Amino acid sequence: MRFLITGAAGFLGSALANKLFADGHKVHAFDNLSTGDPKALHPDIPLTRGDLSDRTKLWKVLQETDCVYHLAARVLVPESILYPSDYAKVNVLGTVSLMEAMRDVGVKRVVLISSGAIYGDQQIQPLSENAIPSPRSPYAVSKLAAEYYVRTIGTLWGMETVCLRVFNAYGPGQQMPPTHAPVITSFMRQATQQGTIVINGTGEQTRDYVYLDDVVSAMTVASTADVNNLIINIGSGMETSIRELLRLILEVTGGHPQVVENPRNEGGPSRMCADLTLAKTKLNYQPQTPLSVGLRLTLEKDPRFSQKLNGHS
């Protein structure tokens, strides 16, 4: 098959592109490189640098494409609170622009990579796709709006669509911005450098951490599965508290960072755990990587961490 992947130089996008390429598919990468790393892609995967607002460039890269994976997005929750219009422009209008370009060229299938963040704080866990979304940030609102646009436009224009709500993905190569880094990369960096780890809120809030390879396995199946117009959770199906995550990271790294409590700073939703019933039924999805194993793999495969171990294993 021929795939176009937007956001292909990012953490999930590059792993997906490399896997599809290794499996013998034709893959074209599309990324504006604002945060992505082109070196993460296999050198034989063609990369076009561009924005989703550039219709002419989209027309060109969409030629003869069987399926689009749409991952291009702004993804930092705290940043979205400061710059909500930027998040609406990229995550919402960019998605609509892509759908219009697909219609113009005649591409009939798209896989949107959405986020578990759209659920917000929910009393009933694990979270099923039928839960009423309660987004708590402009980022989450923008991903939810993108889902509605993709599904509605897809139905009106005769496109096959599926939205994958990915929970807290992690693994080697995950971006590590100077501020607001994802919790696992942040904790891992501080643990391997004997730095400072901050526990926000009670530390008892839980998240569903899902390893990179498991997410990629779900994404690859979604391009051909019978899942039209569905929304499907992708996670580990397990919830882990921040304190338990810290314990596991200290165990894996052997690090001795300073741990600081910040109870005044809200830690986000109290619980997050994905119900995987639909993913198992429709995608034959079965996560293979327990958190303790995934953390060790991240430590061993990511040179940013493994080089700083100083003899720890």
Side-chain angles (χ1 to χ4, degrees):
M1 292 178 68
R2 289 178 177 269
F3 295 101
L4 175 72
I5 303 175
T6 72
F11 170 54
L12 293 178
S14 59
L16 173 64
N18 293 337
K19 178 68 168 81
L20 291 171
F21 182 79
D23 287 346
H25 297 288
K26 300 281 188 182
V27 178
H28 197 118
F30 188 83
D31 201 297
N32 68 3
L33 301 182
S34 59
T35 58
D37 179 9
K39 294 191 292 293
L41 290 164
H42 189 285
D44 291 335
I45 296 176
L47 169 65
T48 296
R49 183 172 185 173
D51 285 302
L52 294 170
S53 58
D54 190 334
R55 187 68 57 83
T56 305
K57 199 169 276 187
L58 282 176
W59 285 336
K60 185 176 180 181
V61 297
L62 282 165
Q63 297 298 322
E64 300 181 3
T65 295
D66 297 309
C67 177
V68 173
Y69 282 98
H70 180 34
L71 291 86
R74 300 280 289 269
V75 299
L76 298 178
V77 168
E79 184 183 66
S80 78
I81 296 169
L82 294 173
Y83 308 109
S85 62
D86 288 352
Y87 274 66
K89 180 180 177 183
V90 175
N91 296 359
V92 183
L93 295 181
T95 299
V96 176
S97 175
L98 174 65
M99 294 293 285
E100 289 180 350
M102 287 175 57
R103 173 199 58 189
D104 296 343
V105 175
V107 180
K108 290 296 187 182
R109 190 172 181 106
V110 60
V111 180
L112 171 69
I113 305 307
S114 185
S115 170
I118 66 101
Y119 290 112
D121 220 341
Q122 303 273 349
Q123 295 301 310
I124 299 174
Q125 301 282 337
L127 295 159
S128 98
E129 293 85 353
N130 295 323
I132 298 172
S134 180
R136 295 163 54 105
S137 68
Y139 164 71
V141 170
S142 72
K143 296 302 284 187
L144 182 59
E147 287 185 4
Y148 275 113
Y149 270 111
V150 164
R151 299 176 76 213
T152 303
I153 289 173
T155 300
L156 292 170
W157 294 348
M159 297 175 179
E160 294 183 350
T161 68
V162 60
C163 303
L164 302 183
R165 287 179 179 164
V166 177
F167 280 64
N168 290 63
Y170 72 97
Q174 187 168 22
Q175 272 87 357
M176 206 179 336
T179 59
H180 312 311
V183 62
I184 286 181
T185 54
S186 175
F187 280 17
M188 198 81 88
R189 174 172 58 185
Q190 297 304 328
T192 54
Q193 296 179 5
Q194 318 307 328
T196 301
I197 288 175
V198 179
I199 300 286
N200 289 317
T202 64
E204 299 304 321
Q205 62 270 31
T206 66
R207 296 294 179 267
D208 185 323
Y209 300 104
V210 56
Y211 188 63
L212 175 62
D213 290 359
D214 289 326
V215 179
V216 170
S217 72
M219 291 193 291
T220 55
V221 174
S223 64
T224 55
D226 182 15
V227 289
N228 186 30
N229 209 34
L230 290 181
I231 294 169
I232 303 176
N233 289 335
I234 304 299
S236 69
M238 304 287 289
E239 57 180 322
T240 304
S241 73
I242 294 294
R243 291 189 188 280
E244 174 63 8
L245 174 67
L246 174 60
R247 186 190 70 77
L248 289 170
I249 286 176
L250 296 183
E251 188 177 279
V252 165
T253 61
H256 299 282
Q258 181 183 17
V259 178
V260 176
E261 305 270 346
N262 186 12
R264 292 186 181 180
N265 192 6
E266 185 186 1
S270 57
R271 293 178 67 193
M272 293 281 287
C273 183
D275 184 329
L276 302 180
T277 305
L278 195 59
K280 290 175 181 177
T281 304
K282 294 294 185 179
L283 301 176
N284 198 26
Y285 173 69
Q286 187 68 49
Q288 301 294 313
T289 316
L291 182 56
S292 58
V293 174
L295 291 174
R296 185 166 293 282
L297 288 170
T298 302
L299 183 70
E300 293 170 352
K301 292 185 174 185
D302 194 319
R304 297 173 301 179
F305 305 131
S306 58
Q307 291 172 1
K308 294 185 172 64
L309 276 179
N310 299 325
H312 293 301
S313 61

